[in-house]
Amino acid sequence: MFKICFITFFFLLSGDFAILLKSGLTFRQALAYNLASAIISYLGLVLGIIIGDIHSAHTWVLALTAGMFLYISLVDMVSNVAHLMFLKHFS
């Protein structure tokens, strides 16, 4: 079981690390960003556990999460549509 967990962790870590290196970061920068991402994930876990015990927070957490998903998807979609319209207009 430990081998499977280690292999999965290694491939996930190396995939993120490869993307960071491919984007132009140095080895140390990519390592620092990957470590920061891992630390922030654990902070999110602790915050989620704390908020999960508060019954009245469920509605707010769900609303905030849905709003963030909508915002991110719409911003991505609108920027792509604007880019396509720009290309269509000037080509």
Side-chain angles (χ1 to χ4, degrees):
M1 180 71 177
F2 177 73
K3 287 183 182 181
I4 294 171
C5 292
F6 181 74
I7 291 170
T8 303
F9 172 75
F10 176 74
F11 281 116
L12 289 173
L13 180 67
S14 64
D16 294 343
F17 194 70
I19 291 170
L20 291 172
L21 288 175
K22 183 82 172 171
S23 68
L25 289 147
T26 65
F27 181 83
R28 285 185 183 209
Q29 287 174 328
L31 193 62
Y33 282 124
N34 216 359
L35 182 64
S37 173
I39 291 170
I40 291 170
S41 295
Y42 282 113
L43 291 175
L45 170 72
V46 171
L47 184 64
I49 290 171
I50 291 169
I51 291 176
D53 287 338
I54 303 170
H55 184 66
S56 63
H58 289 228
T59 305
W60 290 103
V61 170
L62 290 175
L64 182 66
T65 304
M68 288 177 68
F69 274 107
L70 287 172
Y71 174 76
I72 291 168
S73 63
L74 288 174
V75 166
D76 184 50
M77 182 180 68
V78 168
S79 66
N80 285 336
V81 169
H83 180 70
L84 290 174
M85 290 182 71
F86 178 80
L87 290 177
K88 185 178 179 182
H89 187 312
F90 288 107
S91 60

